[in-house]
């Protein structure tokens, strides 16, 4: 079965656990495809609300009389709460299921997003952005949900499609949010219009939560408490793992994952892919606005290019990882090889961006290339994550997701330190990303490492 027939088949095929072994992308059939589309749509809506402030920052800056340092501080806090929220939501997915976890996050997010208009000064904005960051944890149930519905042979692709389509919300926010604001501003003054804009976004979260609750399923063919999950060990037969026991301490299970070096490496590398993506989402509109002197709307439109690349970039990373892994047939070493290559190119093109920002055209061209690889790197990361420890999937998803948020804080801080000196900031972060790529050589999953594949091919 080719990759194309796995994504555009005539019908869905399932394994012995009821998980789909292919993806009928343009279907909304229950349970597999409906859950897939609900998961990415939920994350998509959450992402729009999470990153709705940066596209309106010129207006908010003027209204609240913000300084560049205060804006940078608000960017930092926007992902701070996400770390804790992702750590908490992972075990909650294990216990209650990804659907209910997603519903809870969206409802909570609607409150925090709708409250954004209460900010009246820099301190208020920082507090508001901190609590809005909670909704960023929607990534964890999004990925967890897809992993419950799709089998080992296609789970990397499914995770990448859901994560990529969801991440697109950041790009969409850069042109959708200003359009909503402009429409509202026809009848209201600017200082009121931007506040009402967030009420509209809060309503979208509530509608999405209702759709998840009434239309979706947590897993195929069973209630959440009675389900089983399976992940294929490529060098053995499929191993079936009983559903995690929710009664023992979820905190103990979460903390125990820190003993697994693979989890720590994936956390760092996700910080250098998704975390870096979040940091750029926060500053890219302001970069075009200040560096090239463009208008708020034009800067937002150009900034949206970065997020909209997720339409195919993250998904292609997961697809390529699954495809190469099938060709090589060595556990998850094929996925590791693609992961290493993608992350290396991400760092190279980010460093290239520091040399190409003299003209608008060259900046956009290199930005597109960097966008592709940083987002594809997110896809390759989560093509590996499901195999790190299937018995504690929720905890590991939460930890790796939190690693992305931690990385975002680090990179947002670097952007703050360098201020408007974007050239040096891009270059320094590019070197960090390249360094993190080398950790793939130390990554050990299912007792296999990438170096083992290299030595085997050299000796064959």
């Amino acid at each position: 079965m080719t990759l194309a027939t796995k994504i555009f088949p005539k019908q869905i095929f399932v394994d012995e656990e009821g998980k789909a072994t292919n993806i009928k992308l343009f279907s909304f059939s229950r349970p597999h495809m409906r859950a897939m589309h609900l998961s990415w749509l939920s994350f998509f809506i959450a992402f729009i609300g999470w990153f709705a402030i940066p596209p309106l920052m010129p207006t908010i800056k003027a209204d609240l009389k913000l300084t560049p340092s205060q804006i940078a501080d608000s960017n930092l806090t926007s992902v701070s709460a996400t770390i804790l929220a992702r750590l908490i939501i992972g075990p909650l997915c294990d216990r209650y299921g990804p659907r209910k976890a997603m519903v809870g996050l969206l409802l909570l997010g609607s409150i925090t997003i709708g409250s954004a208009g209460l900010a009246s000064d820099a301190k208020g904005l920082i507090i508001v952005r901190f609590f809005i960051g909670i909704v960023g944890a929607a990534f964890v149930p999004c990925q967890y949900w897809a992993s419950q519905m799709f089998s080992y042979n296609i789970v990397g692709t499914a995770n990448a499609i859901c994560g990529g389509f969801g991440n697109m919300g950041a790009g969409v926010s850069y042109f959708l949010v200003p359009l909503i604001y402009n429409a509202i501003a026809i009848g209201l003054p600017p200082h009121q219009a931007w506040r009402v804009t967030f009420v509209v976004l809060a309503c979208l979260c509530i509608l999405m939560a209702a759709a998840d609750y009434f239309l979706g399923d947590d897993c195929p063919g069973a209630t959440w408490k009675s389900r089983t999950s399976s992940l294929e060990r490529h060098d053995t037969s499929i191993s079936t793992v009983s559903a995690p026991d929710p009664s023992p301490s979820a905190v103990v299970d979460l903390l125990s994952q820190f003993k697994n070096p693979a989890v720590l490496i994936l956390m760092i590398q996700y910080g250098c892919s998704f975390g870096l993506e979040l940091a750029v989402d926060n500053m890219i509109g302001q970069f075009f606005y200040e560096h090239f002197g463009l208008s708020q709307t034009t800067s937002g439109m150009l900034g949206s290019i970065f997020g909209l690349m997720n339409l195919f970039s993250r998904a292609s990373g997961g697809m390529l990882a699954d495809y190469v892994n099938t060709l090589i047939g060595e556990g998850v070493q094929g996925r590791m090889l693609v992961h290493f290559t993608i992350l290396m190119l991400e760092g190279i093109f980010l460093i290239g961006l520091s040399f190409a920002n003299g003209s608008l055209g060259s900046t956009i061209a290199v930005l597109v290339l960097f966008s592709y690889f940083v987002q594809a790197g997110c896809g390759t990361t989560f093509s590996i994550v499901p195999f790190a420890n299937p018995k504690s999937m929720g905890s590991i998803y939460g930890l790796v997701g939190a690693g992305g948020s931690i990385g975002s804080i680090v990179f947002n801080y670097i952007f703050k330190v360098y201020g408007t000196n974007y050239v040096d900031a891009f270059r320094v972060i590019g070197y960090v990303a390249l360094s993190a790529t080398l950790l793939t050589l130390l990554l050990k999953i299912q007792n296999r490492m990438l170096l083992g594949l290299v030595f085997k091919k050299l000796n064959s």
Side-chain angles (χ1 to χ4, degrees):
M1 183 182 291
T2 66
L3 184 60
T5 56
K6 285 182 180 180
I7 301 175
F8 303 105
K10 293 182 179 180
Q11 67 182 86
I12 293 288
F13 297 98
V14 299
D15 62 16
E16 60 266 39
E17 303 298 332
K19 292 187 176 184
T21 59
N22 55 0
I23 298 172
K24 194 174 181 180
L25 192 58
F26 298 116
S27 169
F28 196 65
S29 61
R30 199 168 192 168
H32 306 93
M33 294 314 304
R34 184 174 299 186
M36 180 179 188
H37 289 304
L38 288 175
S39 69
W40 77 257
L41 277 169
S42 299
F43 187 38
F44 177 83
I45 295 297
F47 224 122
I48 290 177
W50 188 15
F51 279 86
I53 287 180
L56 297 182
M57 189 56 77
T59 297
I60 297 173
K61 177 183 178 182
D63 184 27
L64 303 185
K65 299 178 175 57
L66 304 174
T67 65
S69 178
Q70 290 169 336
I71 293 174
D73 287 339
S74 76
N75 287 341
L76 282 168
T77 58
S78 69
V79 293
S80 300
T82 312
I83 298 173
L84 180 60
R86 288 187 173 188
L87 291 175
I88 294 173
I89 201 66
L92 289 179
C93 285
D94 280 334
R95 181 162 187 170
Y96 299 108
R99 178 177 61 94
K100 290 182 179 178
M102 183 70 83
V103 169
L105 269 179
L106 288 172
L107 292 177
L108 181 59
S110 69
I111 297 173
T112 59
I113 292 168
S115 300
L118 298 177
S120 58
D121 54 22
K123 182 179 179 180
L125 181 66
I126 289 172
I127 293 173
V128 162
R129 294 200 72 182
F130 175 83
F131 286 105
I132 288 177
I134 293 173
V135 80
F139 167 78
V140 175
C142 167
Q143 297 287 275
Y144 195 110
W145 208 348
S147 295
Q148 290 299 314
M149 290 292 179
F150 294 92
S151 192
Y152 70 92
N153 67 311
I154 200 73
V155 68
T157 300
N159 275 342
I161 290 175
C162 291
F165 285 10
N167 280 7
M168 241 188 349
V172 170
S173 69
Y174 266 100
F175 70 84
L176 177 62
V177 174
L179 289 178
I180 295 174
Y181 164 79
N182 290 337
I184 296 173
I186 294 175
L188 293 174
H191 74 278
Q192 293 180 354
W194 74 262
R195 290 174 164 84
V196 176
T197 299
F198 288 93
V199 176
V200 175
L201 299 176
C203 292
L204 290 178
C205 289
I206 294 172
L207 291 175
M208 192 68 240
D212 288 341
Y213 188 80
F214 292 107
L215 300 179
D217 301 284
D218 286 292
C219 56
T223 62
W224 181 248
K225 291 184 178 181
S226 64
R227 95 282 184 202
T228 57
S229 61
S230 65
L231 284 174
E232 195 262 358
R233 309 284 181 169
H234 190 79
D235 54 342
T236 63
S237 60
I238 293 178
S239 58
T240 301
V241 181
S242 298
D245 181 6
S247 56
S249 173
V251 175
V252 172
D253 180 60
L254 185 71
L255 295 177
S256 67
Q257 304 311 315
F258 284 104
K259 299 178 182 178
N260 186 346
V263 174
L264 299 178
I265 291 173
L266 290 169
M267 287 179 67
I268 293 171
Q269 293 185 326
Y270 199 57
C272 289
S273 51
F274 185 66
L276 178 52
E277 180 184 351
L278 291 181
V280 174
D281 280 333
N282 266 326
M283 55 73 62
I284 193 65
Q286 198 73 9
F287 166 69
F288 283 116
Y289 182 78
E290 294 181 352
H291 194 71
F292 294 104
L294 304 176
S295 68
Q296 173 177 283
T297 301
T298 302
S299 297
M301 294 293 184
L302 291 177
S304 71
I305 294 173
F306 181 73
L308 289 175
M309 291 286 291
N310 274 296
L311 178 63
F312 62 89
S313 56
R314 180 163 182 156
S316 68
M319 291 177 190
L320 186 60
D322 279 348
Y323 179 68
V324 172
N325 201 71
T326 301
L327 292 180
I328 292 177
E330 296 287 344
V332 294
Q333 289 172 312
R335 292 183 171 95
M336 292 181 187
L337 178 61
V338 175
H339 184 57
F340 177 84
T341 305
I342 293 292
L343 292 184
M344 180 176 64
L345 291 171
E346 169 199 330
I348 290 173
F349 280 107
L350 181 54
I351 294 172
L353 186 60
S354 70
F355 292 101
N357 61 68
S359 70
L360 183 60
S362 61
T363 297
I364 293 174
V366 180
L367 177 67
V368 167
L369 291 171
F370 162 66
S371 299
Y372 173 78
F373 288 109
V374 73
Q375 292 159 6
C378 298
T380 59
T381 302
F382 269 85
S383 73
I384 298 171
V385 167
F387 300 91
N389 185 354
K391 293 182 179 180
S392 300
M393 190 179 296
S395 295
I396 293 178
Y397 272 54
L399 284 169
V400 177
S405 300
I406 294 171
S408 179
I409 290 177
V410 172
F411 296 128
N412 270 304
Y413 182 75
I414 292 176
F415 280 124
K416 177 185 178 181
V417 169
Y418 282 92
T420 56
N421 186 1
Y422 299 107
V423 173
D424 288 347
F426 286 140
R427 191 171 302 144
V428 168
I429 296 173
Y431 290 139
V432 173
L434 278 178
S435 299
T437 301
L438 298 177
L439 294 175
T440 310
L441 302 177
L442 303 177
L443 188 61
K444 188 175 184 180
I445 303 286
Q446 298 177 353
N447 293 318
R448 300 193 184 203
M449 302 176 70
L450 179 58
L451 287 176
L453 175 65
V454 175
F455 291 142
K456 181 177 180 179
K457 296 300 179 183
L458 289 176
N459 294 328
S460 61

